[in-house]
Structures are given as structure tokens and as C-alpha cells.
Amino acid sequence: MAEDKETREKLLDSAKQEFLEKGYMKASLRTICRNAGVTTGALYFFFEDKEDLLKQLVEEPLKGLISRVESHFLEEMNMESAVISISDDSLDIRAAREIVYFMYQNYDIFQILLTKSQGSIYEDITSRFADGIEEHYDKLAERLADEFGIKKPGHYMIHWLSHIQIDAFIHLLTHEQDVEKAARQIEDIVVYLLSGWNGLFSPKR
Amino acid sequence: MAEDKETREKLLDSAKQEFLEKGYMKASLRTICRNAGVTTGALYFFFEDKEDLLKQLVEEPLKGLISRVESHFLEEMNMESAVISISDDSLDIRAAREIVYFMYQNYDIFQILLTKSQGSIYEDITSRFADGIEEHYDKLAERLADEFGIKKPGHYMIHWLSHIQIDAFIHLLTHEQDVEKAARQIEDIVVYLLSGWNGLFSPKR
Amino acid sequence: MAEDKETREKLLDSAKQEFLEKGYMKASLRTICRNAGVTTGALYFFFEDKEDLLKQLVEEPLKGLISRVESHFLEEMNMESAVISISDDSLDIRAAREIVYFMYQNYDIFQILLTKSQGSIYEDITSRFADGIEEHYDKLAERLADEFGIKKPGHYMIHWLSHIQIDAFIHLLTHEQDVEKAARQIEDIVVYLLSGWNGLFSPKR
Amino acid sequence: MAEDKETREKLLDSAKQEFLEKGYMKASLRTICRNAGVTTGALYFFFEDKEDLLKQLVEEPLKGLISRVESHFLEEMNMESAVISISDDSLDIRAAREIVYFMYQNYDIFQILLTKSQGSIYEDITSRFADGIEEHYDKLAERLADEFGIKKPGHYMIHWLSHIQIDAFIHLLTHEQDVEKAARQIEDIVVYLLSGWNGLFSPKR
DNA sequence: CATGAATGAGGTTTCATTCAT
DNA sequence: GATGAATGAAACCTCATTCAT
């Protein structure tokens, strides 16, 4: 651990490590401080408490992710047709790839956020995310249902679809360490998801 | 809490409640014992430790689930063609419904197992399950690829598909309390998943 | 410290010592446990927390004091005349002596309760006591005012008189260690207070 | 909080507030500094430590009180007769009123000093005051005993009388916020106390 | 079978204080 | 004069576990 780094930075690094290893709940502030080569009191100079430590650790990447997702949704809503084409450089695939790249730039952070945050305020970040996405897909589904004169899929279905979309990213993060491979995988997944999505609006079934 | 129940039973009941409320990690053995109207020592007569308590609590339902899944897989492997037809009473839909019913009979247990077990040996039961399922789908994919003369989907894809299949059940459990509704939802989901699955083996894409 | 005493007793003894020395707030549970020759956990087996420790320590003597005071008030209210005679074995002097003896039997406890309880739920026990006593003196004053056709002393005056009465006992406890001497002193004080009290109801002033 | 006030002043103000709210012991220097808009280091430039902060805060008012009390005593000792007359503008009543006014001019400070100083060097200021006053009353008692050819009241009695005299002021401060009302109350109290005092030297009892 | 007592390590947090800059 | 960082000890409390009875 670099000796000349500033304490706050050292603490954040050490916290990242500890959260990653033990999860938020089992993570010990004492251990975090010890590994950072700093006393307990120092931690409480920079952070209000354990929760705040996690908050400050994930804050920026989380915001980055949210803004990327939102801007993608905006783009999607401004398309003429709600039908989503499936091609290698479709909007969705590009967006998915961008998000993957971003997540892998903050690999550890998102690992923590998405799989090690039980017991913290982020413990249901996945659900909260899903709720946000669901709203978007609900609107999209409405438009599509109109375009094709077909009944909208049920709420539950849309909620679930939102969920597996997020799970797709989580799964990637936990099973594929290489960014490039991950980016390739996400393409297949998006295609799979889009086919299913479009299938929901095909005339007969 | 029935006074004449045996201690072991009372402890298991109390543990179920506590694990459900606080999750495995935050669950307090003291609280479990207190709510069971029993002292700490009693717990340690029936159970080796905290982990063993959880183990014994989920053991049976878990075995039940596994055996049901396995027997379904066996059935599926014995079909003549690996192509899975999508109809209301298709093998898969019937199996899915059966599993849903079984899970809802042990609602609390599976809730704990699938969403409240972080920190215990079951914390990645989902992944372990997925690994088991993956094996099956891998074989299935091989057969399908042969039948259609098409390249098998990649390992990652198959793994992911296994995962979302499990996630589908988890999602159900956490978002739909009513069995009958859940059974109906799972049908739509299976259809969705099967379409996607079959799509992977359609000639061109 | 007797080795064969039971832990709870040893803890209470040690706590008494520590509270007496440092006051409730500065008292350290660690120190209490150490001096009792017991680990921290043991304390929490018998007591819920620091507050409960104090509570259990003072509970009985406090109840004893309250019941003695109340039964004295009852006696006083059942007298024919509200005029209080001042003689060596008057009701009040006997009551005061009884209370002194009782307090000195639990010398340390009342010392803690009355002068070392800042920061605890007993920190304004004096005021609470005064409020109770005030009620009694208010009734008494009403009767006296009627008897003599004189205006009742103001609320503030009665409240203050209640206060100094309690302070008298506190003062005793903190300045006179010998019971017998204390019992003698309280007599003079009661005489002094009663003269003042009676003076409030004398025709002209 | 005035921005242009000097740091020392701001700290003293903030400390006053904090001591008043939480008492000396529970008062947090961090909070004091934060509320003063100043860092910890600044505090330690002006004050040696927590104790010194309190000391400097109460210094002046305390001196003011002491000098007023002392000059009153001097006056009293220079009277021809040691008998204290009880009239509306008697020496004692005027002195008591003056002291009340002075204390209410520094209301917060005396509140702290007399009721919130446990844990500090002033925690037994009351007793120390009483000791000072006692000395005076002892002399007075001697003169009176001589004048009337009566035995002096015991030391304990004189000490206690000194105490309740101080307690009278404390009680005022904690139960009556309005100066004018307080000034009126103190008159009644002084009368009460003086009657008692004089009573101690009346021939028979 | 079960109790009740006790362990001991560890948890998060707060605090007054110091000191280089 | 004042900042901001850091110390280090101690605070209360909780926990899973053990064991004599």
C-alpha cells in the first residue's frame, strides 16, 4: 500500500478491499483502518460512519451509471418507432456495451454495490434500479401495443424483464473478468432479450 | 407458540422467523432462543452451531426441490427430440408449475434460502443451482445443435440462461405472494424463455 | 472482594463502588467488571445495559424510601388538625428520624441516587420527589389556610419548601457519616422547618 | 451567529450553549467548535483544555457574584447589633435582590455553574460557597449568642443554613425565568430564612 | 434434555487532545 | 491565529459459543 497516498484515499482503497472480501456487513472498520495504516479516529474524520464510508466509495460510479442509463432511455424514447431493431450497432447494443465498459472501469465498486451490499442502504439497489427501468419499459410497451394493436404485457412480466436485464449485468460482472469478452457476451444477451421483447408484441402466439 | 411442541420444532420455527426477518447474518441466536421460550444450551443440544441450524431448517425442502428438478431433467432427456414445444401443457410448463407449487408450500424456507442466506454456506446456492442446471442445458444444447446442424451457443450464454431461469423463480417468490397468480406468471415466463431458447437454434439470425 | 459471592452480587457491589467514586456518567462498565473479577459479557447477562445496572442497584432502597414517605404523609393527612405541633416525639420528627435511619442503612445507594446520578434516569430524582411532596404540602396548606382564615402561601413558596426539605436529607447524607449524629441533626432541622412553616400561617406578618 | 465576532467570543458563546444543553461532561468540544464555525485547533489556541474553557466562561460572573456577596457580608458585620431586622428594605433583602438581579444578568452562566458543572472543577461550587458563607454566619452567630446570652447553634446547623441559602438561589434560577418575579420570590424566602435564623436565638424553645 | 451462567473477542463510535503547516 | 488531519484510548454493547450442573 503506497505510503505517500493521502489517508482518505488509503481508507477508501482499504475499504474497497474489505467490502469486496467480506461484504458490507462482515467488513470490520478496525481491519479497514489497520490495513490502511491509520487509526480508527482518522476514519471518523473523513467519514460519518460505516454507511457513509460505503456511500462515498460508490457515489461517483453509481451516479455515472445512472446518468448513462438515463441518457440511453431518453434516446430510445425519442425514436420514431418504438420497435427496436436488432442489429450489431443498434442503439441498445451500443448502450449495453457502453455500460459494460463503464462498469468494468469501476469493476470492484460495482461488484460491491451489486453483490456485497447486504445490510447497507444499497442492499436493494437492484430492485430500485429495476423499478426505474420498469417505468421506462412500461411506456415503451404502451407505444408498441398501440402501434401493433395488441394488448400490453402484464405488469409482472414487464417488471421481471426489467429485473433480468439488470441481472444480466450482474451476472457478467461476477462471471467474466475480461472486459472485451464481457462486451461480446452482452451483445448476445441483448439480442436474446430483444427477441423476447419483440416476441411479446408479435400478432399471434 | 404451541407449548407442547417439542423444543427442536419450536427452535426451528423461531429460527425461520428470525432468519426471514433479519437474514442469516443479522439473526441472533439469543433472540431465536428467547422467542422459542428456550435457553441457549437447548439450541446447542439439537444443533451444532448457527450454520447447522440453518442447514437443518432448509434441508428437506431443498432436497425436495432438487429431486423435482432432477426428475424433470431426466424426463426431458428421455424425449425423442430435443426440441421443446411450447404449449400450455408442455413438459416444461408442467414442471415449472409443479416447482412453483412446491416452493410456495415451503414459502418461508425458500425465501430464506434464496434471499436471506448471505453469510451462510447457502449464500451462493443460486450459482450452485445454476451450475447444475447448466450441465443439463449443455447436453440439451449439444443435441439440438446436432439436430439442426448449428453451432452450440457459447458456455457463457448457457450459464446465463441457467441463471435467469432460477432468478425467475426467485423473482416470483419475492414479488408474488399468491400461489395461483405465481403459477400463472411462471407460464408466461417459461414461454418467454423457451422462445428465446428455441431462437438460439433457428437457422439464421 | 469475596471470591465465593455470586457474580450478580459482585457486579452490584463493584458498580456501587464505581458509581460512588466517579458518578454514573464517568463510571466505566469495563472497570466495574474488572473489579468484580468478571468479563464484560457476564454483566450483560444480568443487566440490560448501564442504566439497568443502576436501576437494579437502587430499586429496592428507593421503593423503601418512597413507601415510608408516603405512609408518613397518609398519617399526617389523617390528623384532626392540620397544625403541626413541634415536640420531641412529634409525628414529623419521628418520621424524619425513621427516614434518616433507613437512608443510612443504604448509605451508599442514596449517596449515588442523590448526588451521583447525573446522566441517568435518576438525574432529577430530587425534583421528582419534590413534586410529589409539593402535592402533599399543597393540600396541607389549603387545610391550614382554611383553619386560620389566611391566604395560602404561593405555589413557588410551597415548591421551594418541598425542595429544601429533600435537600436537608441530601445535605445530611453528604456531610454527616454517623447515623446517630445525623438523627440528632435532623431533629433540629425539622424543628427549624416546622417553625418556618407554621410561621407562614400566623395571623400577621 | 455574528460573522465578524472574534473567534474567542464565538467559541465562548458556542460553549455556553453546549454546556447549557448537555452539561459540562457530555458537552463535546467538537460540537462547540462546529457551532462556532471554527476548527478544533483554534479552540486550543485560546483555551488550554476543556476545563479552561469553562473556567474562562464563568470567570467574570463568578468573581462578580463573590465580590457582591463579600461586600454584603462586610456591611452586615459592621452593623452595631447582630440582630437582623425583617423589613421590606432591610439590608439582607436588598442584598438578596441585588444578587438576584446580578445572577439573572448572567442567567446562562450561573445556570451552568450551579446545575451543569458536574465533572468539572466547579462541580461542588455550591459546597465551596457554603463553606465561605458558613464562616460569616458563624461569626454572626457568635455575636448573637453573646448578645442574648444563649448557646450558639451547632456547626452542622450553621452549615446547613448556609447551604439552603445558596440552594434558594439555585432553585430560583431553575424554576423562575422572569427576573422581576424572581426578585419578589427571593423576598419571601429571605423573610422565611431570617425568621428561622432569629428563632434560633430566641430565649426558649 | 435443558438450564443458566459465563467467556472473550470483537463490533462501531466518540472523545479530548496534539501538531505540522 | 487558525487549519485540518490524525492519534489512541476508551466508551458501551453484542455475539456465538461453552460447560458444569
Side-chain angles (χ1 to χ4, degrees), chain C residues 116, chain D residues 25 113 117-128:
Chain C
K116 305 282 187 175
Chain D
M25 237 163 121
L113 208 39
S117 61
Q118 199 170 96
S120 78
I121 46 167
Y122 297 111
E123 75 177 354
D124 39 33
I125 182 96
T126 298
S127 290
R128 273 186 281 153

Side-chain angles (χ1 to χ4, degrees), chain D residues 129-148:
Chain D
F129 244 103
D131 291 347
I133 295 184
E134 185 184 355
E135 224 175 305
H136 172 68
Y137 282 111
D138 207 51
K139 287 185 206 145
L140 218 58
E142 197 123 6
R143 280 180 59 182
L144 273 167
D146 276 3
E147 277 188 43
F148 290 96

Side-chain angles (χ1 to χ4, degrees), chain C residues 7 37-42 45-46:
Chain C
T7 304
V38 154
T39 54
T40 340
F45 178 78
F46 295 102

Side-chain angles (χ1 to χ4, degrees), chain B residues 41-124:
Chain B
L43 192 151
Y44 280 87
F45 177 78
F46 293 105
F47 310 98
E48 267 182 25
D49 52 18
K50 195 178 185 181
E51 201 163 280
D52 188 47
L53 176 58
L54 178 61
K55 224 186 271 181
Q56 294 197 33
L57 180 64
V58 305
E59 205 166 39
E60 255 182 275
L62 186 53
K63 275 187 192 161
L65 178 63
I66 290 172
S67 79
R68 271 161 184 80
V69 170
E70 278 178 349
S71 78
H72 166 60
F73 283 169
L74 222 63
E75 232 180 344
E76 206 170 46
M77 285 306 278
N78 288 334
M79 303 274 291
E80 270 178 41
S81 163
V83 180
I84 301 172
S85 78
I86 307 175
S87 63
D88 276 10
D89 63 344
S90 76
L91 199 63
D92 291 81
I93 287 184
R94 266 184 294 128
R97 288 181 60 104
E98 194 201 335
I99 288 171
V100 165
Y101 282 121
F102 180 72
M103 290 178 89
Y104 275 72
Q105 270 167 28
N106 303 278
Y107 192 85
D108 292 344
I109 301 294
F110 283 110
Q111 196 89 12
I112 291 168
L113 209 39
L114 298 173
T115 70
K116 306 279 186 176
S117 60
Q118 200 171 95
S120 78
I121 47 167
Y122 297 111
E123 75 177 353
D124 40 32

Side-chain angles (χ1 to χ4, degrees), chain C residues 180-200:
Chain C
E180 291 308 328
K181 283 186 190 164
R184 245 171 288 138
Q185 309 287 16
I186 201 69
E187 283 187 36
D188 290 350
I189 289 169
V190 170
V191 168
Y192 180 95
L193 290 174
L194 280 185
S195 307
W197 173 256
N198 286 336
L200 291 178

Side-chain angles (χ1 to χ4, degrees), chain A residues 6-103:
Chain A
E6 295 147 33
T7 304
R8 204 188 93 103
E9 221 62 35
K10 282 196 283 183
L11 278 167
L12 284 173
D13 274 6
S14 178
K16 185 159 71 180
Q17 210 55 39
E18 177 83 354
F19 286 148
L20 213 47
E21 269 174 37
K22 306 202 194 145
Y24 175 76
M25 239 164 118
K26 274 202 175 152
S28 155
L29 295 186
R30 257 186 217 166
T31 306
I32 288 173
C33 289
R34 196 183 328 121
N35 290 344
V38 154
T39 55
T40 340
L43 193 151
Y44 281 87
F45 179 78
F46 294 102
F47 310 98
E48 271 185 18
D49 50 19
K50 196 180 185 180
E51 199 165 285
D52 189 47
L53 176 59
L54 177 61
K55 223 187 270 182
Q56 293 197 33
L57 182 63
V58 305
E59 204 167 39
E60 256 182 274
L62 185 53
K63 274 188 193 160
L65 178 61
I66 290 172
S67 78
R68 270 161 185 80
V69 170
E70 279 177 350
S71 77
H72 166 59
F73 282 169
L74 221 64
E75 232 181 345
E76 203 168 49
M77 287 306 278
N78 288 334
M79 303 274 289
E80 269 177 43
S81 165
V83 180
I84 301 172
S85 78
I86 307 177
S87 64
D88 276 10
D89 65 342
S90 76
L91 200 62
D92 292 80
I93 287 184
R94 267 186 290 128
R97 289 181 58 105
E98 192 200 337
I99 288 171
V100 165
Y101 281 122
F102 181 72
M103 289 178 89

